[in-house]
Amino acid sequence: MTEKLKRQSLLYLQANKTSVTSDVLGMSIVEGGKVSDGPADPDDWPYHTVLEAMNDGWRIIKFPEMALLLDEKRTYGLGCEFILEKWQ
């Protein structure tokens, strides 16, 4: 009997704050060996908060880097980026 090999999918969600209930401002997904920025229209994104993704089975593997948000006068990359995974 052969065991089906599961693939890891990654979901990158950029939020406006560090809370899982914050609105998603951008997304990228790696699924089935392909990278996509998702639908062009944000209304068509599969998730509008990180919590919605979690409720759909995605697990957070990286929380936002709080140190990147300490200086309000400067921005350092995507400080409110969550990275989530799902095995399928």
Side-chain angles (χ1 to χ4, degrees), residues 3-69:
E3 189 176 315
K4 183 181 177 186
L5 183 63
K6 290 186 175 187
R7 286 188 177 187
Q8 181 186 31
S9 296
L10 295 175
L11 177 62
Y12 297 82
L13 296 177
Q14 293 81 39
N16 63 348
K17 296 181 185 170
T18 59
S19 169
V20 296
T21 58
S22 299
D23 292 330
V24 171
L25 304 174
M27 68 162 287
S28 182
I29 189 166
V30 180
E31 200 167 35
K34 297 179 182 175
V35 179
S36 168
D37 289 332
D41 185 350
D43 289 337
D44 295 332
W45 289 347
Y47 311 108
H48 298 282
T49 67
V50 177
L51 185 58
E52 287 179 5
M54 292 171 61
N55 287 334
D56 193 34
W58 290 92
R59 294 178 48 232
I60 296 174
I61 59 173
K62 182 182 172 293
F63 285 88
E65 296 287 339
M66 297 298 288
L68 299 178
L69 305 172

Side-chain angles (χ1 to χ4, degrees), residues 14-15 62 65 67-69 71 74-81:
Q14 293 81 39
K62 182 182 172 293
E65 296 287 339
L68 299 178
L69 305 172
D71 186 351
R74 294 192 231 168
T75 353
Y76 300 96
L78 300 170
C80 293
E81 180 176 64

